[in-house]
Amino acid sequence: MRGRRLLVVVPAVVALAGCGGSSGKAQGAGGAPPSVSPGSSVQAAGARAGAAGSRERAALARLRAMGLPVYCGGRHGHLVALTFDDGPGPYTHFALKELRQARARATFFLVARSIQRFPAWPRRELTLAALGDHTATHADLLGLPPAGVTREIALGREAVRNAAGRPVLLFRPPYGARSQLIDQEVSRQGMVEVLWSIDSGDSNVVQPQNYAAISRT
């Protein structure tokens, strides 16, 4: 899988709430996973997780109501959110290995046809990441009629939901190609459109298995 797009967000989607909408460049979800000390109660940890989940859902609801793409993950603090497009694929395990070693999280934008080839990986990705829809076949949506746009987005979302067993609330258009029609369709299907601010360029690496070099970049 080609890990691409550096973004600016925090545990699953909270930092997205700091974004003003369609200015700047955008992001997905990441941040260090919460740790629980040996003396903490499971009940307290569960309550904290539930509160964080409620805040994230509220943030997403506000962004969906805007109906505009997100280009920034928040303008305060020193946070970077990592996102990976086009998977799952043969290099997904390298991305997860790097994330695990760094005690970091990310967002994976998945393609339905890739899920067909690697059906077990979305649930594994959930241990360290949020998941989003990256369409059914990675088609350039600008070249499709309205019905084709709807189909690509819907089938991609369905594939991610079925593979991961979770609702899909984030969407990234292939190549970042978007229009008012695409924005409206993404919103209609209940998702937030997420773009990026920095491309790490790792999809251009001649030997993509050199994940350590990609991580350093």
Side-chain angles (χ1 to χ4, degrees):
M1 163 170 160
R2 297 181 298 170
R4 319 193 6 172
R5 319 302 187 199
L6 291 173
L7 299 182
V8 185
V9 178
V10 148
V13 194
V14 172
L16 285 173
C19 213
S22 61
S23 63
K25 290 262 185 162
Q27 283 25 292
S35 59
V36 180
S37 64
S40 299
S41 71
V42 173
Q43 184 175 8
R48 288 195 296 271
S54 296
R55 289 194 298 271
E56 291 168 9
R57 287 190 293 273
L60 283 170
R62 289 194 296 272
L63 290 168
R64 283 200 302 271
M66 293 180 188
L68 297 172
V70 176
Y71 287 87
C72 60
R75 306 184 190 282
H76 304 288
H78 300 284
L79 300 175
V80 173
L82 299 169
T83 68
F84 296 83
D85 292 352
D86 306 352
Y91 303 111
T92 298
H93 64 292
F94 291 125
L96 292 177
K97 180 177 180 179
E98 286 293 288
L99 290 170
R100 190 172 294 110
Q101 290 178 345
R103 297 176 62 80
R105 295 180 63 83
T107 301
F108 289 80
F109 288 95
L110 309 183
V111 178
R113 68 180 179 188
S114 297
I115 293 173
Q116 291 178 347
R117 296 176 57 207
F118 301 91
W121 277 106
R123 286 185 182 271
R124 298 176 188 177
E125 289 170 330
L126 279 176
T127 62
L128 294 171
L131 304 182
D133 174 9
H134 202 41
T135 73
T137 67
H138 203 270
D140 183 344
L141 298 180
L142 293 178
L144 300 178
V149 170
T150 297
R151 177 179 173 83
E152 279 284 332
I153 296 172
L155 291 181
R157 181 185 180 209
E158 181 181 5
V160 178
R161 183 182 65 235
N162 291 342
R166 300 280 182 85
V168 182
L169 303 177
L170 303 173
F171 173 80
R172 170 168 289 168
Y175 316 108
R178 45 167 290 270
S179 66
Q180 183 178 8
L181 183 149
I182 293 168
D183 296 349
Q184 291 173 345
E185 183 59 32
V186 173
S187 179
R188 189 188 70 80
Q189 293 196 30
M191 294 183 289
V192 173
E193 195 171 2
V194 180
L195 301 180
W196 60 86
S197 58
I198 301 172
D199 187 340
S200 64
D202 58 284
S203 60
N204 300 320
V205 175
V206 175
Q207 294 181 312
Q209 66 269 30
N210 188 2
Y211 64 92
I214 291 172
S215 179
R216 287 194 298 272
T217 300

